[in-house]
Amino acid sequence: MMASHNYFDKQFELRYFEMNELGLATPAIMLALLEETAADHCYSIDHSLFDLFKENIGWVLFSGVLQMDRYPNYKEKITIRTWLSSYSSIKGYRENLIFDENENIIGRAKGLWVFFDIEKRRPTPIYEDIKEKWSYCNETSIAINIKKKINAVEYADYLGKFKVNRFDTDMNKHVNNIRYLQWVIESIPEEIVNTHFLHVIDGRFIAEAQFGDNVLSLTKELETKNTFQHTIKVEGSAKVCATATTVWKAY
């Protein structure tokens, strides 16, 4: 494992309700565990997300990638290691490695998180105290440029339609990024979902969907086999909320 005093480790044991029918953790659960690790990292330096929320401050994900080489089994213990690889005044890159019990890396993730004024709906400078206590390590977890633009789908091969419900939104008053992942997967052809696992998802968050909106999940097959391009947009408007690409591997 990486030798550094600037990282934060959190262990999880996978539970029954986090499994799919094959007894493997779902992509949405892996994102949830990554978020939980980041939240605990905040808590560990006395800046819990709930304390920040009382100050109308939150962390918002602008772009990110998740790559899973395999998904954990029921009752398997995994460790998520997270650290910050760089900061600017308003944003930071969070790196993640996912280890199995034998310290093998089974997954990697990277996110560009922005410190956000919830009331004013705009970025705000990161507290110096947070930067000092978290410090950083300039090693990266995955060599994918998550700032690179992903174009929106104009003509979809597959389409899903969803309503934004009250419980789709989080404490920052916007649709949680896990919900976007679920909308993307729902529009993937069934023959792929039943025989393949999500190997890589690379996403960009562009605009907020609101409670009560109808959103469309547009999916287009790319030339590379089992690779897709995705767009989440608000129905009846030109508003694009998110774009992504996914790569699927056979079980």
Side-chain angles (χ1 to χ4, degrees):
M1 289 191 179
M2 188 178 72
S4 168
H5 65 280
N6 293 328
Y7 60 72
F8 178 84
D9 282 356
K10 186 168 178 63
Q11 191 179 80
F12 298 92
E13 182 177 295
L14 277 298
R15 297 168 293 183
Y16 170 76
F17 69 86
E18 296 167 329
M19 302 292 106
N20 64 14
E21 66 275 11
L22 299 174
L24 299 172
T26 65
I29 287 301
M30 295 314 300
L31 275 191
L33 297 181
L34 288 163
E35 283 195 3
E36 179 67 18
T37 303
D40 228 26
H41 196 194
C42 292
Y43 183 82
S44 73
I45 60 164
D46 301 318
H47 285 288
S48 87
L49 297 183
F50 291 102
D51 290 339
L52 290 174
F53 183 70
K54 289 172 188 172
E55 301 168 27
N56 277 312
I57 298 293
W59 288 97
V60 174
L61 184 64
F62 265 46
S63 61
V65 61
L66 169 68
Q67 176 183 301
M68 295 299 298
D69 296 321
R70 74 169 181 86
Y71 285 83
N73 299 293
Y74 176 50
K75 288 291 184 184
E76 184 172 357
K77 290 186 176 71
I78 62 168
T79 298
I80 297 181
R81 171 163 294 173
T82 191
W83 70 97
L84 280 296
S85 58
S86 67
Y87 291 109
S88 74
S89 61
I90 60 169
K91 61 184 183 287
Y93 284 95
R94 179 172 288 280
E95 312 283 342
N96 302 271
L97 292 174
I98 304 167
F99 296 93
D100 66 13
E101 291 179 76
N102 298 315
E103 299 188 1
N104 299 309
I105 296 172
I106 62 170
R108 301 168 183 269
K110 182 186 187 87
L112 175 58
W113 290 87
V114 174
F115 210 52
F116 197 74
D117 187 313
I118 298 166
E119 200 77 8
K120 295 175 182 173
R121 313 307 288 167
R122 66 185 187 205
T124 193
I126 301 170
Y127 300 161
E128 287 302 318
D129 186 50
I130 290 177
K131 292 183 183 180
E132 286 170 17
K133 288 182 176 176
W134 267 345
S135 189
Y136 74 96
C137 169
N138 58 18
E139 291 185 46
T140 57
S141 57
I142 186 168
I144 291 178
N145 179 9
I146 60 172
K147 286 178 74 176
K148 186 178 177 183
K149 183 180 178 182
I150 297 174
N151 292 324
V153 172
E154 293 185 21
Y155 303 102
D157 296 313
Y158 308 98
L159 184 68
K161 182 176 173 180
F162 308 93
K163 179 98 168 174
V164 180
N165 297 306
R166 185 173 292 110
F167 297 108
D168 292 329
T169 58
D170 59 21
M171 63 194 297
N172 295 331
K173 301 178 184 175
H174 70 200
V175 174
N176 188 277
N177 60 77
I178 296 171
R179 188 66 70 229
Y180 286 112
L181 170 67
Q182 291 171 323
W183 289 337
V184 161
I185 291 174
E186 285 285 347
S187 67
I188 292 285
E190 201 169 338
E191 61 268 22
I192 295 290
V193 173
N194 289 343
T195 57
H196 294 65
F197 70 90
L198 178 61
H199 174 48
V200 180
I201 181 164
D202 188 12
R204 310 288 176 266
F205 301 96
I206 298 159
E208 295 180 283
Q210 308 291 336
F211 168 54
D213 284 345
N214 287 316
V215 297
L216 301 176
S217 177
L218 294 83
T219 289
K220 174 185 175 184
E221 287 193 56
L222 298 178
E223 286 183 15
T224 305
K225 193 177 180 185
N226 301 326
T227 303
F228 300 87
Q229 183 180 343
H230 310 274
T231 295
I232 305 293
K233 64 180 292 188
V234 175
E235 186 181 33
S237 78
K239 184 177 182 182
V240 172
C241 300
T243 58
T245 58
T246 59
V247 180
W248 297 75
K249 274 191 173 180
Y251 282 114

